[in-house]
């Protein structure tokens, strides 16, 4: 716990100034000068992490994504089963989110996200998945290959897997079988956990103590800010806390930590969850984790006082901001989310301003 007194603050609707991202500064641990950009590490997977990265790349050029590698569905699952590789899908999505808004960036974002449609073995494979796996086989180095893809795309940041071994997600689920609503069963696989009809009690990884990618640990320890979430809570957010070396880094880092909550419960995985319930299950999986800020969309918080009390257990302040798209869909607006992050970094940072 940090011992700081939590506060409840509204973040305004102003969108951040658009600017061109610069290459990341050398990661040599040198003292930051006034005006330099914050070093930000974002942890997660899937569309939640993509939303966070699309926002963060607008406000810093020193950005690293640390991505879960437990996916076992779709194209990623097929490549994983056939070739024994890390599932590339969430890594691909993170790279696509880091592409710029110019023609080059948007063209490559569409290319790597493109899926083949056929009656054969290529059906539903994503181009980016095949490219990433091909470079892994050519170079024999996960990090070097992802850095090379990022260079090709002109990505505004770096993408790293949280572990260099494929992981299996397992969950204890109450009522997974509707005919036995009180029984607790073990459910295997990220894709199955994400759609389980029961109530997820807890999750763990196999192997139970997977090694973290050293570059990911180093990035967390060297960061100014670490952002966890949004995303599928049990299958994309919490898994990072189940990698011992990564959890140690999150606990020991001098960076400030932001938890970005989802806009709505996820059908199956977090059906019926309140914002504070998300915090409760996070705390059960990582009791020693401290946070500095909990960010939530103001329209998704029915009881601000209850959320404030839940955040207080982590030593965190609560920031409420309009971060959802205005079309009514439960998706983050990258400009609004960038404005919220930018304000948090300025208000709670130790070394700002960065611009």
């Amino acid at each position: 716990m940090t011992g700081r007194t939590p506060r409840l603050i509204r973040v305004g609707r102003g969108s951040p100034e658009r600017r061109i991202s610069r290459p990341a500064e050398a990661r040599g641990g040198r003292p930051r000068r006034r005006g330099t950009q914050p070093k930000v590490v974002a942890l997660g997977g899937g569309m939640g992490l993509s939303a966070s990265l699309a926002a963060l790349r607008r406000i810093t050029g020193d950005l690293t994504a640390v991505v879960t590698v437990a996916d076992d569905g779709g194209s990623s699952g097929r490549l994983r089963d056939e070739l024994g590789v890390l599932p590339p899908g969430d890594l691909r999505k993170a790279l696509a989110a880091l592409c710029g808004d110019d023609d080059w960036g948007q063209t490559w974002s569409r290319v790597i996200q493109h899926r083949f449609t056929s009656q054969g073995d290529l059906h539903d494979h994503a181009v980016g998945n095949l490219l990433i796996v091909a470079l892994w086989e050519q170079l024999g180095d996960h990090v070097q290959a992802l850095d090379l893809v990022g260079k090709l795309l002109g990505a505004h940041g770096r993408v790293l897997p949280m572990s260099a071994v494929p992981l299996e997600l397992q969950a204890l689920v109450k009522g997974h079988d509707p005919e036995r609503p009180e029984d607790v069963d073990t459910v295997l696989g990220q894709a199955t956990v994400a759609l389980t009809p029961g109530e997820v009690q807890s999750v763990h990884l196999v192997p139970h103590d997977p090694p973290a990618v050293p570059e990911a640990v180093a990035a967390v320890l060297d960061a100014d800010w670490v952002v966890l979430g949004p995303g599928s809570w049990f299958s994309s957010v919490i898994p990072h806390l189940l990698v011992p070396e990564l959890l140690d880094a999150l606990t020991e880092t001098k960076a400030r930590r932001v938890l970005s909550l989802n806009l709505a419960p996820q059908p199956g995985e977090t059906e019926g969850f309140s914002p504070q319930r998300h915090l409760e299950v996070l705390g059960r999986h990582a009791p020693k984790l401290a946070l500095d800020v909990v960010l939530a969309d103001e329209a998704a918080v029915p009881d601000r006082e209850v959320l404030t009390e839940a955040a207080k257990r982590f030593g965190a302040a609560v920031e409420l901001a309009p971060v959802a798209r205005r079309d009514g869909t439960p998706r983050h607006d990258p400009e609004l989310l960038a404005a919220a992050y930018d304000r948090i970094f300025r208000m709670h940072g130790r070394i700002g301003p960065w611009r």
Side-chain angles (χ1 to χ4, degrees), residues 12-40:
R13 284 185 175 270
S15 60
E17 180 182 346
R18 297 289 291 276
R19 57 186 63 243
I20 298 174
S21 297
R22 298 193 297 271
E25 302 287 333
R27 293 172 171 80
R30 294 175 295 178
R32 276 61 154 187
R33 298 185 302 276
R34 185 176 179 85
T36 61
Q37 300 180 85
K39 293 184 178 183
V40 181

Side-chain angles (χ1 to χ4, degrees), residues 81-96:
D81 290 343
E82 184 172 345
L83 301 174
V85 296
L86 293 180
D90 283 352
L91 297 161
R92 181 200 80 243
K93 292 173 186 175
L95 285 163

